[in-house]
Amino acid sequence: MAVQPLFVLAVQSNTVFNFTSGIDIENSELRPNGDILLTTFTKGRLYTLNPNQKVPKAELIASLSDATALCGITRIAYDKYAVIGGVRGSYHYDNETIYTVDFTNDASNPVIKTVAHLPAAIMLNGMAALPKQPQIVLIGDAALGILFRVDTTTGAYKVAFNNTALVSPAGSSMPIGVNGLKIVGNDVFFTNSASGIFAKVPISDDGTLFGDVEIIATMDTSIGDWDDFILDSNGVAYLAQPSLGVARLFPNGTHSIYAGGIPAATSIQIAENGGVG
Ligand SMILES: *[C@@H]1O[C@H](CO)[C@@H](O)[C@H](O)[C@H]1NC(C)=O
Ligand SMILES: *[C@@H]1O[C@H](CO)[C@@H](O)[C@H](O)[C@H]1NC(C)=O
Ligand SMILES: *[C@@H]1O[C@H](CO)[C@@H](O)[C@H](O)[C@H]1NC(C)=O
Ligand SMILES: *[C@@H]1O[C@H](CO)[C@@H](O)[C@H](O)[C@H]1NC(C)=O
């Protein structure tokens, strides 16, 4: 779920930056200028990193108030992001909160707001904005096995989807159900770490989930789990697989390790130059 180095992969992987102080990265999002925002499990800290600098260095943006750990992050407008933060326990969080971080008026000093509290949530993780109404986000709760729908302008939230494919199987040694979450076209894609699936379910423009969950691939959970992921324009998924590195998964479900030897991979972005990081 977390560790320090940040890699860019071509055929080989290169380390772009490594926190020397043991800061655990959890999730990431690309900014329009190519910088990467990094959420961490360390003191609610949000960082930004320019991977194209000669000597890239993560810069602290802020520690989000009252959160010890940040999880999902997604862009909700041009250079404006929603971020999940909470007080981290063991497979559960207190005070799950959604913040917005808005760089629109100042590219280095964002306006940060607390926009929603989700007292019903237990373990929020992946988050994705609706493509046609990006101020509305879907958030997976890996403990409850549901997707919440949150309006980042009003703070209103409700359960949008409740399905056994999102739940961690009873007795899982690592009880993390729905983890990575992305919306592409008219499908929500997700991983379920404990059950080892990569799946999709149709979604309408207004965020209504309908139809059946289609399991695209299932991995052998004795060798690892799938965390966050990204899809390229051909529908090929690159998944962080903390035990081995980065897996590549074709739309037909065929998958294999694409880049191994990356310790505790947790999140992935595709850079404009085609690198996967
Ligand atoms: C990153 O830094 C840590 C110390 O914080 C070190 O243990 C680790 O080997 C470094 N990894 C890379 C890939 O440089
Ligand atoms: C959760 O938030 C409430 C209200 O701000 C606060 O009183 C409480 O201490 C917080 N809980 C934790 C575990 O930080
Ligand atoms: C999800 O559905 C199950 C089965 O109907 C139900 O027991 C559970 O309470 C629901 N969860 C939430 C958070 O609504
Ligand atoms: C799945 O798709 C990949 C990429 O197109 C292809 O190389 C592979 O042969 C396909 N596997 C099966 C079982 O069809």
Side-chain angles (χ1 to χ4, degrees), residues 14 30-31 60 87 92 104 119 220 241 244-245:
N14 307 313
L30 277 186
R31 294 179 65 184
L60 181 66
V87 177
H92 120 272
T104 313
D220 177 356
Q241 188 174 318
L244 284 173

Side-chain angles (χ1 to χ4, degrees), residues 144 146 159 162:
L144 290 171
I146 59 169
V159 176
N162 177 352

Side-chain angles (χ1 to χ4, degrees), residues 1-20:
M1 285 221 303
V3 95
Q4 308 94 355
L6 190 76
F7 288 88
V8 170
L9 313 174
V11 176
Q12 288 188 314
S13 64
N14 307 313
T15 301
V16 173
F17 175 75
N18 189 16
F19 282 110
T20 51

Side-chain angles (χ1 to χ4, degrees), residues 157-193:
Y157 76 101
K158 64 175 187 184
V159 176
F161 193 54
N162 177 352
N163 191 282
T164 51
L166 304 168
V167 176
S168 64
S172 300
S173 58
M174 184 196 58
I176 298 176
V178 57
N179 191 329
L181 187 73
K182 292 281 181 286
I183 302 172
V184 179
N186 289 106
D187 288 301
V188 179
F189 292 82
F190 61 91
T191 56
N192 178 322
S193 293

Side-chain angles (χ1 to χ4, degrees), residues 84 111 122 140 167 251:
I84 299 164
V111 176
I122 297 180
V167 176

